[in-house]
Amino acid sequence: REVLRDADLQMPTGAVGALLGRTGEGKSTLLNLISGIDAPDAGTVTVAGVEIGALSERARTLFRRRHVGFVFQFYNLVPTLTVAENVRFLLDLDGAPDADSRSRQLLEEVGLADRAGAFPDRLSGGEQQRVAIARALAHDPSLVLADEPTGDLDAKTGTLILDLLERMTRERGRSLLMVTHDESILDRVDVVYRLADGVVQRETVRDLVATSA
């Protein structure tokens, strides 16, 4: 079935954006297209100057591995790998010589240096999501996508995760697009996209505040 139609989204470099919409509107599908997990049936998807929709599945995988970071709602950590091994996983695939030092640095940044040797099932949900953030940033992607990154967490832990994700991407000058149902996130983003009936509308935070007032 047709999920997206005439969906046009342009993400400014270095911006933090929120993608809002009701359940089933196609927000996760849109992220999968942007990341190259899925290929579009029509139209174009361009990330960092590369039209990834025209690439083969293997080429899209390689592009995503080097240029896109993905934070999932349910963490998607590899259960048979330790925390440190999960963070350095993509670096090891690419043969990065500094994989060990980069993974250690990121674990320090997310406050989990002391859990490097633990397996995911020994961590809380918030700790697993912090590992997922470290993994998403390990290869220094130009774009970070987060699909309901706090959806499986309590409110307090969710706020901490959003603080961490926003801070780490802004410090690196990277673009961050977060899918969420929670409009309280609006005070921390630069631009808002609303997906409804397959169409994306861009709204500024100022417009939304004025509308709600």
Side-chain angles (χ1 to χ4, degrees):
R1 71 186 180 89
E2 187 180 55
V3 178
L4 303 169
R5 57 181 179 82
D6 298 325
D8 185 7
L9 185 154
Q10 297 183 44
M11 184 76 183
T13 301
V16 174
L19 178 60
L20 307 178
R22 298 188 304 271
T23 299
E25 285 287 356
K27 301 185 299 299
S28 294
T29 297
L30 185 54
L31 285 199
N32 287 345
L33 290 169
I34 295 171
S35 67
I37 292 176
D38 294 331
D41 297 312
T44 60
V45 180
T46 303
V47 178
V50 177
E51 187 183 334
I52 61 173
L55 301 177
S56 67
E57 183 175 353
R58 173 174 171 75
R60 291 200 313 273
T61 298
L62 291 174
F63 180 87
R64 181 171 62 254
R65 204 163 83 192
R66 292 166 184 166
H67 300 285
V68 180
F70 213 122
V71 181
F72 299 89
Q73 177 178 350
F74 299 110
Y75 327 129
N76 281 21
L77 301 179
V78 181
T80 56
L81 299 182
T82 66
V83 164
E85 289 167 342
N86 267 281
V87 173
R88 60 181 291 167
F89 182 69
L90 295 180
L91 298 176
D92 287 334
L93 285 178
D94 279 338
D98 57 347
D100 187 54
S101 60
R102 285 169 68 178
S103 62
R104 282 202 309 269
Q105 178 185 346
L106 281 163
L107 284 174
E108 288 177 2
E109 286 191 61
V110 300
L112 290 173
D114 61 334
R115 306 304 305 277
F119 287 91
D121 64 353
R122 309 307 298 174
L123 305 180
S124 68
E127 288 174 330
Q128 290 189 62
Q129 197 62 301
R130 281 190 275 161
V131 176
I133 291 171
R135 179 185 59 185
L137 294 172
H139 54 299
D140 196 23
S142 56
L143 173 64
V144 179
L145 304 172
D147 193 356
E148 295 281 4
T150 64
D152 198 43
L153 304 173
D154 62 80
K156 181 178 179 180
T157 304
T159 298
L160 293 174
I161 290 299
L162 288 177
D163 289 344
L164 184 65
L165 185 56
E166 180 193 0
R167 176 178 60 79
M168 292 182 72
T169 51
R170 285 195 189 277
E171 286 177 352
R172 288 164 170 77
R174 300 316 186 197
S175 302
L176 169 63
L177 180 61
M178 297 181 283
V179 164
T180 183
H181 291 93
D182 183 6
E183 298 203 10
S184 67
I185 201 175
L186 299 181
D187 62 353
R188 65 173 74 234
V189 302
D190 305 310
V191 63
V192 175
Y193 306 93
R194 191 177 298 276
L195 178 59
D197 299 322
V199 178
V200 177
Q201 287 187 318
R202 177 170 170 169
E203 303 166 307
T204 66
V205 177
R206 182 177 299 174
D207 290 338
L208 288 171
V209 171
T211 300
S212 62

